[in-house]
Amino acid sequence: MEKIILKNADFEDQPNIDAYISRGGYKALEKALTMEPAAITDEVKKAGIRGRGGAGFPAGLKWSFIPKDTKKPIYLVCNADEGEPGTFKDRFIIERDPHLLVEGIAVSSYALKVKTAYIYIRGEFYKGAMMLEKAIEEAKAKGFLGSNVLGRDGVDIDIVVHRGAGAYVCGEETSLLESLEGKRGYPRLKPPFPAVVGAFGCPTVINNVETLAAVPWIILNGGAAYAKIGTEKSTGTKLFSVCGKVNKPGVYEVDLGYPFKKFLDEYCGGVKDGKKLKAVIPGGSSTPVLPAEEIEKVNLDYESIAAAGSMLGSGAVIVFDETDCMVEAITVLAHFYAHESCGQCTPCREGTAWMYRILQKIMNGEGKLSDIDLLYEICDNIMGKTVCPLGDAAAMPVVGFLNKYRHEFEYHIKNGKCDVKEKH
């Protein structure tokens, strides 16, 4: 299985530009500059790559929404605000192979006629931000960025690293734009969409780190070659960040469509200490949990996981074993979402805090059976009723845990203690 993103990630000197060039780096940019910008977008469309940030929207289609006749500047924003619990693949790319991202942004900027691109990076990722700053300066010195890139008159590409303040909601694209403009990170109503009215009121494409890091390979090898990897509707490779009860947590790249059971055993070393697999959150903490008997039949692609009742999301795999209390697990997640709600929408602001308080009561043995129905009702009043999808992100996991592990909640309520903890 060929690696596309992590091909050179294990070389310690890879962040250095000379090492990157020695392994074929910036060849994609050289090739791209011999092509018409529209031809590059066509190759990304042919590749069928879907955005790797979580939503899974086709990247090439997103690029094509930029108005053709606009007189305004066009911006590209790389979303590196990776704040969802369990997700750490983008930080891995930035710290192991920063020039891959820089080259991906340069090629994409040329295709979209962007002169200034931004990397919006989570404020806590100080090391990654510094590595990107260094990579950008190195690329400028070699002529890969700046004015007249590689001697092409009129091709000017600059990249600015912008550090956010660490708010989860700023991973949502319109909140990110507000923050980039120096305002509070509140989501915007859509439409208008960022492709028409984005950063500073201008057309803007927002792509995830992993998406942009795949662009150099697509240009060098062609969109059709990329589309042959994976499945018909889930093309290419995907990075999965794995944490929880596994023997080898980490970031792994596999072809989309790879069987989960095989992935768990061969890449992650199986469940930690030989314990029994209990459940998996397959795509980041906002996606519904799947019990062992369901996840073991699933392949790692968008369609297979959706058919099982969850989402591929960002590819953050969180593994639970037989000793984990699911009431405790969702209470921890609910606390996160209650803390991170931006507060703009009442259903999210009030609902997430309310959910957390009820779950905390149940976990402490102070709940009532009617609290379960109340939790469903609160989730129903949040989902689809907020400006941005982060209300859904808070409610979906609660519904998922209640649907799959209702008996554990009922045991806590009826007995005032945890049956899982008793057994182990």
Side-chain angles (χ1 to χ4, degrees):
M1 202 174 339
E2 181 182 3
K3 289 182 181 176
I4 289 176
I5 307 289
L6 302 185
K7 182 180 178 183
N8 298 313
D10 290 335
F11 291 108
E12 287 189 7
D13 62 350
Q14 184 67 7
N16 181 284
I17 194 167
D18 291 327
Y20 182 74
I21 292 171
S22 73
R23 299 187 182 106
Y26 289 107
K27 290 291 182 189
L29 179 60
E30 290 177 12
K31 181 180 177 181
L33 294 179
T34 66
M35 302 165 64
E36 290 297 321
I40 297 171
T41 300
D42 286 343
E43 289 301 323
V44 174
K45 280 185 178 176
K46 282 181 199 169
I49 183 171
R50 296 164 66 164
R52 304 302 198 219
F57 192 81
L61 188 60
K62 196 175 199 179
W63 288 15
S64 68
F65 290 156
I66 293 291
K68 300 288 186 295
D69 55 350
T70 183
K71 304 296 182 194
K72 295 180 177 178
I74 300 168
Y75 294 109
L76 172 65
V77 179
C78 172
N79 187 348
D81 190 84
E82 190 173 44
E84 186 143 306
T87 310
F88 46 92
K89 65 182 179 65
D90 291 342
R91 185 172 54 174
F92 193 83
I93 295 171
I94 290 168
E95 294 183 2
R96 297 298 185 96
D97 204 351
H99 280 285
L100 181 65
L101 176 60
V102 170
E103 185 177 12
I105 292 173
V107 172
S108 304
S109 294
Y110 172 70
L112 293 162
K113 301 180 181 175
V114 166
K115 293 191 180 297
T116 303
Y118 293 91
I119 301 175
Y120 185 95
I121 187 168
R122 175 159 282 261
E124 295 96 312
F125 296 169
Y126 176 79
K127 179 183 176 183
M130 294 302 104
M131 291 181 76
L132 285 170
E133 296 272 15
K134 179 173 177 287
I136 290 166
E137 288 307 313
E138 288 177 342
K140 279 182 184 173
K142 297 276 188 185
F144 298 123
L145 293 176
S147 300
N148 302 323
V149 171
L150 294 177
R152 282 287 303 273
D153 289 342
V155 178
D156 306 329
I157 302 170
D158 192 17
I159 301 176
V160 177
V161 177
H162 183 102
R163 291 177 63 198
Y168 174 68
V169 73
C170 290
E172 192 275 336
E173 60 181 17
T174 61
S175 306
L176 184 157
L177 292 175
E178 290 285 297
S179 176
L180 183 68
E181 293 175 0
K183 294 175 277 187
R184 183 171 182 168
Y186 269 169
R188 298 176 182 172
L189 282 170
K190 293 188 282 189
F193 292 93
V196 180
V197 181
F200 314 107
C202 298
T204 302
V205 167
I206 304 168
N207 282 144
N208 173 257
V209 170
E210 186 184 348
T211 314
L212 291 166
V215 170
W217 193 97
I218 291 170
I219 296 308
L220 279 176
N221 297 276
Y226 189 87
K228 287 180 181 174
I229 303 169
T231 71
E232 184 182 353
K233 293 183 179 176
S234 297
T235 61
T237 65
K238 176 83 187 80
L239 265 56
F240 292 91
S241 55
V242 186
C243 64
K245 301 296 181 60
V246 292
N247 285 313
K248 294 195 296 182
V251 177
Y252 302 102
E253 181 176 13
V254 295
D255 294 359
L256 281 165
Y258 201 78
F260 175 81
K261 182 73 169 59
K262 202 172 170 185
F263 175 73
L264 180 66
D265 293 338
E266 294 183 359
Y267 283 82
C268 311
V271 180
K272 192 174 182 183
D273 300 330
K275 295 264 190 334
K276 188 179 174 186
L277 178 67
K278 180 171 186 176
V280 172
I281 297 177
S285 65
S286 62
T287 61
V289 65
L290 293 176
E293 58 272 22
E294 295 180 21
I295 190 71
E296 286 179 346
K297 299 172 188 169
V298 162
N299 292 333
L300 293 170
D301 60 67
Y302 294 94
E303 289 70 35
S304 181
I305 294 180
S310 190
M311 299 165 65
L312 184 75
S314 61
V317 177
I318 304 172
V319 178
F320 300 92
D321 72 19
E322 57 189 318
T323 68
D324 287 313
C325 168
M326 304 311 267
V327 179
E328 183 179 21
I330 190 58
T331 304
V332 171
L333 290 180
H335 183 227
F336 170 80
Y337 287 105
H339 180 267
E340 291 292 337
S341 173
C342 78
Q344 182 176 198
C345 307
T346 304
C348 183
R349 181 184 66 242
E350 299 295 328
T352 53
W354 202 4
M355 283 195 303
Y356 170 59
R357 286 198 299 271
I358 294 170
L359 287 166
Q360 200 175 30
K361 274 174 51 186
I362 294 173
M363 193 179 76
N364 292 335
E366 300 164 354
K368 298 178 289 187
L369 282 173
S370 59
D371 285 338
I372 294 177
D373 290 334
L374 186 55
L375 282 169
Y376 276 118
E377 189 180 337
I378 295 169
C379 291
D380 185 54
N381 281 310
I382 294 175
M383 292 176 74
K385 300 178 178 69
T386 53
V387 170
C388 81
L390 296 190
D392 290 9
M396 277 195 302
V398 173
V399 172
F401 273 75
L402 288 173
N403 286 344
K404 304 295 182 183
Y405 295 96
R406 186 181 178 116
H407 59 285
E408 288 195 23
F409 290 84
E410 290 180 347
Y411 191 94
H412 270 259
I413 293 168
K414 291 175 181 173
N415 301 283
K417 55 187 176 182
C418 175
D419 60 335
V420 178
K421 301 287 184 191
E422 279 186 329
K423 290 175 189 170
H424 300 280

